[in-house]
Amino acid sequence: MNKILEAKFIGPDIKLFKIDAPKIALKQKAGQFIILRIAENGERIPLTIADSHKEEGWITLIVQGIGATTKALNQLEAGDFVRDLVGPLGQASHIENFGTAVSIGGGVGTAIAYPTAKALKAAGNKVISIIGGRSKQHVILENELAATSDEVYPCTDDGSYGFHGFVTQKLQQLLDSGEKIDFVLAIGPIPMMSAVAEVTRPHGIKTVVSLNPVMVDGTGMCGGCRAYVDGKQVFVCVDGPEFDAHQVDFKILQQRNRTYGIQEQAALEAHMCNIDVVYNEELKNKKIAESI
Amino acid sequence: MAELKTKERMQIPRHDMPEQEPHQRATNFEEVNLGYSIEIAMEEAERCIRCKNPVCVDGCPVSVKIPEFIKMIADGKFDEAAEILKTDNALPAVCGRVCPQEEQCEAVCVLAKKGKPVAIGYLERFAADWQRKHSNLKHAHVQQKTGKKVAIVGGGPAGLSCAGDLIQMGHDVTVFEALHEIGGVLVYGIPEFRLPKEIVRAEVDALHELGVEFVTNYVIGLTETIEELQARFDAIFIGVGAGLPYFLNVPGEHLNGVYSSNEFLTRVNLMKAYDFPNNVTPIYDLKDKNVAVFGGGNTAMDAVRTSKRMGAKRAMICYRRTEKEMPARVEEIKHAKEEGIEFMLLVAPLELVGDDNGVLRAIKLQQMELGEPDSSGRRRPVPIKDAIEEIPVDAVVIAIGNGSNPIISQTTPELIVNKWGNILVDESNMKTNMKGIFAGGDIVTGGATVILAMGAGRTAAKAIDDYLKNPETW
Ligand SMILES: Cc1cc2nc3c(=O)[nH]c(=O)nc-3n(C[C@H](O)[C@H](O)[C@H](O)COP(=O)(O)OP(=O)(O)OC[C@H]3O[C@@H](n4cnc5c(N)ncnc54)[C@H](O)[C@@H]3O)c2cc1C
Ligand code: SF4
Ligand code: FES
């Protein structure tokens, strides 16, 4: 069990958790993720580690409540526990001084891009951050990114804040203005990542995306997270999660992520409360155990 | 009972295992085999003619003292029978259920020459189950603490047997497991209807009571490296299993509805997807669907019988050779057939066919026939020209084996592995090329059996004990 030290909403349905996980904090590198299970009857879901503190022994996760598990997770508060937490999983981001690096985050993808943007800055890059959201409240981590970037461009679909338009349009604008870009990191919804890949492709700019397939174990044991890169099968949890955007088959990724559409809906509608029941039961037992 | 004469013993017919009716069990996840009653077990035990030179023992990979434990059952001393088993086999309740006895002890039992061998596996299971249910005796004797610390990497049968021996030798033992539950394949792979989780849990609890520490959700290589463990522990045993599923390498494996057996079985067993949505992990809804499983081993049988239990209308095994070559236990093949599993033999997959949305809808199979014997005398399957068949299916499970998981080797460059990623060891003591580091089980042999993994864990435990006492001689 890992204790939640802090929990706060930082956007609509987007919650930031600071979780006690000293071993993981000690090891975490930008780009890596954890797998957690809220309760005994819960599913295992992967979440990127947004930040960590070695000395204080915590990691942060930023969670958008979409499915049954993430919604249930977002109901937890400081003082609550998650049943299982394992990591850090996956390969760390490849960090070097490329020159000028653009970090693009769409929605909660911004949280995933944040640690890598920070590492790119520390490696000496000029870092330009582009943060996308539907509207102003969906733009997250602007202050944090401002502290580790040379330039930050918030973008909103509805024009309620910052640049009016998609992150790809902002990227195009930068390219058109003659900005010499050496590296692009794009993390967000699949259509966004695939669109960024098409913007950078003609310019031959090295572009990396972080993939988010369905996972079970996260250690290469099940093959459920397989994706196709440069025509070859990869297991995202051990070979990734970051890959060359120009070689990823986004269509297959999108299709595979739809595998459990029906079931997810059912879980969401009927039994979200069920996780709570088991969870609360477990918590109660734990509290009883602690009090004896 | 008065001592029987050998001839009288040989006249007793072998006792079948009582089991759930096929049509009933094909709809539930409860154990198929129900176990011998006391009466049947004692009578079956009387069949053993107590050979002076018991060849069955040679047939057992860990040399269980077979006639001795069987005699105890015949004498009604079940606890003692279990104790004899445990001196050689750390998990008799598991092995009594999953060992391929027909290729090991029972294959060579002298009675097999004239009729049917003694039901050694069923008796092993009986003694172990009896002890678990009835005996409160705590037999394990923990020697005086040595103060030495051993890390066990992986909580499968190899790791558990190594841990069990080392704790009794007086060492401090910590097991690190990547998943959230201990047991390895025994909990994520082998289904409840063949090996109830409760049995594995009881074994793990017993080890815990003896003082073994279990750390779950801990991936060695990532959460902590082997090198870092070396600083905290006096010796390390690596038993991380195979755990990297092979795919068929035919077009269409990306389609929705295509699973590796590891994923399929993990979702159902470990994550209890059969009880969705009470358990949140989803799996394809197989009710009234058609499922094809590629492979002919225990894993394939487990997957196909699981799909039947999930409500599949047609559940098929697709295997490229004939039944004779199937590596699965004979009992699993028999049970599968009784449950209505279809066997498509001498077929090779050509393609998995999907619809426009990337959802699997059919498999294309190439019919094969046995060709001329090759230099090894084996008749290899060869394709029959133009004999290609398309079968509509909704799900495919690929159960053709595992490669070795690369996490440990990638993060421990000093450790020597072969070209398939298996850790190289000295088989007499399971030591690797790194001082104080031992390895055993599927990570060394490639996918094998529970008993071989356990035997390796034991061999390693003995060697580790010696290494801890006399490190300078190693
Ligand atoms: C479906 C199925 C059915 C089978 N049926 C039979 C049968 O009927 N009879 C039989 O004899 N054999 C059977 N086998 C084979 C048998 O289960 C294996 O040979 C045996 O489990 C191997 O034991 P092991 O301890 O080496 O590895 P495993 O059982 O694979 O255990 C290894 C453990 O290590 C953990 N691990 C992996 N990497 C790490 C890491 N880096 N850090 C920490 N932990 C890690 C894994 O999560 C796992 O729990 C079957 C196998 C399968 C898959
Ligand atoms: S070979 Fe058969 S009959 Fe002889 S001791 Fe072993 S089990 Fe008994
Ligand atoms: S999640 Fe199982 S192999 Fe990647």
Side-chain angles (χ1 to χ4, degrees):
Chain A
M1 289 232 182
N2 296 68
K3 188 172 185 169
I4 299 174
L5 305 171
E6 226 179 280
K8 60 171 187 234
F9 280 101
I10 59 166
D13 273 340
I14 302 177
K15 201 164 185 177
L16 179 145
F17 293 96
K18 191 193 259 191
I19 300 183
D20 180 50
K23 288 284 184 186
I24 302 176
L26 209 56
K27 276 295 154 70
Q28 184 258 345
K29 292 208 179 74
Q32 290 186 300
F33 62 97
I34 54 92
I35 282 190
L36 68 72
R37 205 165 68 122
I38 303 178
E40 190 54 45
N41 68 338
E43 63 182 326
R44 296 169 62 100
I45 59 159
L47 295 165
T48 300
I49 307 168
D51 206 351
S52 67
H53 197 295
K54 288 188 182 23
E55 289 73 32
E56 294 176 12
W58 48 258
I59 59 169
T60 60
L61 304 173
I62 296 180
V63 183
Q64 183 160 32
I66 303 172
T69 300
T70 45
K71 278 196 193 292
L73 186 56
N74 279 0
Q75 291 176 0
L76 301 187
E77 298 295 345
D80 289 342
F81 290 82
V82 291
R83 179 80 177 71
D84 298 293
L85 186 67
V86 58
L89 304 172
Q91 308 281 341
S93 307
H94 174 75
I95 304 289
E96 63 177 87
N97 190 348
F98 297 101
T100 298
V102 176
S103 153
I104 307 176
V108 77
T110 304
I112 305 174
Y114 169 62
T116 308
K118 211 163 84 172
L120 286 167
K121 180 71 196 164
N125 289 278
K126 172 183 175 186
V127 175
I128 301 175
S129 286
I130 303 179
I131 328 171
R134 245 181 298 149
S135 61
K136 181 166 192 228
Q137 23 168 357
H138 289 92
V139 173
I140 58 169
L141 298 181
E142 186 179 351
N143 292 337
E144 286 81 354
L145 278 164
T148 59
S149 314
D150 296 270
E151 296 164 25
V152 180
Y153 299 105
C155 310
T156 52
D157 300 358
D158 64 0
S160 56
Y161 186 60
F163 177 83
H164 184 175
F166 296 136
V167 290
T168 39
Q169 291 168 318
K170 182 69 214 175
L171 176 65
Q172 190 64 54
Q173 200 185 56
L174 287 176
L175 286 166
D176 294 345
S177 73
E179 180 81 54
K180 190 185 149 300
I181 298 173
D182 304 293
F183 177 80
V184 170
L185 168 77
I187 305 179
I190 296 170
M192 178 213 110
M193 293 194 287
S194 132
V196 168
E198 291 324 307
V199 172
T200 58
R201 195 189 301 272
H203 299 272
I205 302 171
K206 184 176 167 64
T207 304
V208 165
V209 288
S210 176
L211 307 188
N212 58 340
V214 175
M215 292 190 185
V216 185
D217 58 300
T219 62
M221 181 271 277
C222 78
C225 64
R226 63 195 184 278
Y228 296 80
V229 178
D230 192 17
K232 289 196 258 317
Q233 187 186 76
V234 295
F235 289 180
V236 172
C237 70
V238 284
D239 301 327
E242 293 183 0
F243 293 96
D244 180 347
H246 297 140
Q247 306 206 314
V248 170
D249 189 326
F250 289 106
K251 196 166 159 255
I252 291 183
L253 183 66
Q254 180 89 300
Q255 160 233 310
R256 285 189 57 75
N257 276 3
R258 278 197 302 263
T259 303
Y260 298 112
I262 304 165
Q263 284 91 337
E264 267 158 27
Q265 204 49 40
L268 202 53
E269 281 163 12
H271 290 275
M272 212 182 107
C273 39
N274 212 302
I275 305 181
D276 286 350
V277 176
V278 174
Y279 178 76
N280 290 333
E281 202 55 38
E282 274 178 32
L283 215 58
K284 206 166 71 198
N285 291 341
K286 181 165 164 66
K287 283 190 181 134
I288 294 168
E290 277 173 353
S291 67
I292 308 174
Chain B
M1 210 189 289
E3 270 301 289
L4 295 179
K5 297 203 177 65
T6 298
K7 221 171 130 196
E8 290 168 326
R9 293 183 188 283
M10 290 174 70
Q11 274 158 6
I12 309 172
R14 176 172 159 129
H15 297 77
D16 288 338
M17 170 59 78
E19 43 189 52
Q20 276 195 70
E21 287 301 325
H23 65 276
Q24 176 198 346
R25 72 187 190 229
T27 61
N28 69 46
F29 277 86
E30 276 143 48
E31 197 175 8
V32 169
N33 287 349
L34 302 172
Y36 278 167
S37 64
I38 291 180
E39 296 71 31
I40 298 182
M42 288 176 71
E43 214 174 277
E44 179 67 27
E46 292 290 5
R47 293 184 63 225
C48 173
I49 59 170
R50 303 172 186 178
C51 304
K52 286 250 162 46
N53 174 21
V55 284
C56 53
V57 178
D58 303 331
C60 172
V62 298
S63 305
V64 163
K65 295 181 265 300
I66 293 169
E68 276 100 321
F69 99 78
I70 292 183
K71 178 167 188 310
M72 285 298 172
I73 295 182
D75 293 347
K77 297 181 182 158
F78 309 137
D79 213 29
E80 286 83 346
E83 281 314 300
I84 294 174
L85 280 163
K86 284 191 175 165
T87 57
D88 299 299
N89 181 343
L91 304 170
V94 173
C95 290
R97 288 173 166 80
V98 305
C99 268
Q101 288 92 3
E102 73 274 1
E103 293 168 19
Q104 303 179 29
C105 53
E106 293 184 21
V108 290
C109 170
V110 292
L111 297 196
K113 291 198 189 81
K114 296 220 176 78
K116 290 187 175 167
V118 174
I120 303 170
Y122 296 160
L123 289 173
E124 176 179 30
R125 169 193 161 136
F126 169 81
D129 283 2
W130 193 92
Q131 191 181 49
R132 193 177 66 253
K133 289 195 195 118
H134 298 280
S135 161
N136 297 319
L137 299 176
K138 290 235 165 55
H139 298 275
H141 174 68
V142 176
Q143 287 173 21
Q144 206 186 354
K145 283 279 162 205
T146 62
K148 300 283 185 198
K149 289 158 69 178
V150 185
I152 308 278
V153 185
L160 291 178
S161 72
C162 192
D165 283 2
L166 287 167
I167 196 83
Q168 294 185 52
M169 292 163 175
H171 309 299
D172 289 333
V173 181
T174 308
V175 177
F176 296 98
E177 166 57 49
L179 289 170
H180 57 259
E181 211 167 308
I182 302 286
V185 170
L186 307 183
V187 295
Y188 78 70
I190 304 182
E192 187 76 15
F193 58 82
R194 202 148 73 79
L195 177 67
K197 303 283 154 302
E198 169 210 338
I199 291 169
V200 183
R201 221 167 289 132
E203 297 294 348
V204 174
D205 287 349
L207 290 179
H208 188 67
E209 263 178 48
L210 289 179
V212 175
E213 265 197 64
F214 291 99
V215 182
T216 50
N217 296 317
Y218 210 91
V219 187
I220 299 304
L222 295 173
T223 317
E224 189 168 355
T225 60
I226 290 283
E227 198 185 345
E228 288 162 324
L229 282 183
Q230 278 181 302
R232 300 207 278 141
F233 291 89
D234 300 298
I236 300 172
F237 174 76
I238 304 174
V240 291
L244 186 78
Y246 287 138
F247 283 81
L248 295 167
N249 252 322
V250 299
E253 289 188 304
H254 63 280
L255 295 167
N256 295 355
V258 180
Y259 289 95
S260 76
S261 52
N262 283 1
E263 182 184 4
F264 184 76
L265 291 170
T266 301
R267 284 181 180 273
V268 179
N269 295 325
L270 183 68
M271 307 309 296
K272 307 192 183 72
Y274 62 84
D275 189 21
F276 178 86
N278 290 324
N279 283 277
V280 189
T281 303
I283 193 153
Y284 242 52
D285 182 1
L286 298 181
K287 190 144 181 44
D288 298 323
K289 301 281 170 60
N290 299 336
V291 183
V293 176
F294 288 97
N298 289 319
T299 311
M301 296 304 146
D302 285 346
V304 80
R305 295 171 68 201
T306 296
S307 8
K308 192 77 195 177
R309 283 161 173 75
M310 303 279 295
K313 187 168 65 189
R314 282 184 86 181
M316 301 165 259
I317 283 282
C318 302
Y319 184 56
R320 67 201 162 100
R321 296 170 180 272
T322 68
E323 190 177 320
K324 214 170 64 217
E325 286 89 17
M326 283 195 171
R329 299 175 75 226
V330 168
E331 188 178 43
E332 309 315 325
I333 297 174
K334 170 177 162 276
H335 282 164
K337 285 186 174 163
E338 289 167 359
E339 288 163 16
I341 304 301
E342 292 172 50
F343 281 66
M344 319 252 254
L345 302 171
L346 287 166
V347 292
L350 286 179
E351 190 185 341
L352 311 179
V353 189
D355 66 13
D356 294 342
N357 296 317
V359 177
L360 177 75
R361 63 167 185 79
I363 48 174
K364 232 181 242 171
L365 297 177
Q366 164 74 62
Q367 296 285 342
M368 315 287 277
E369 64 188 349
L370 289 181
E372 294 302 312
D374 61 15
S375 53
S376 70
R378 278 218 313 188
R379 297 181 62 193
R380 297 192 138 268
V382 290
I384 304 172
K385 199 167 176 301
D386 294 333
I388 294 173
E389 193 182 358
E390 191 173 298
I391 300 172
V393 297
D394 305 281
V396 155
V397 182
I398 300 164
I400 55 167
N402 278 284
S404 31
N405 192 293
I407 290 181
I408 297 273
S409 53
Q410 277 174 5
T411 54
T412 322
E414 206 189 322
L415 190 67
I416 298 182
V417 297
N418 68 14
K419 66 175 168 180
W420 297 283
N422 299 118
I423 299 177
L424 291 184
V425 297
D426 173 341
E427 274 173 34
S428 65
N429 53 25
M430 312 314 276
K431 85 177 168 89
T432 68
N433 66 305
M434 290 173 74
K435 195 171 161 72
I437 301 187
F438 300 74
D442 283 1
I443 187 60
V444 167
T445 54
T449 59
V450 172
I451 190 69
L452 285 173
M454 259 182 29
R458 290 222 123 161
T459 306
K462 248 183 249 141
I464 291 171
D465 187 48
D466 186 59
Y467 168 76
L468 293 173
K469 286 178 181 145
N470 318 295
E472 63 290 343
T473 64
W474 282 73

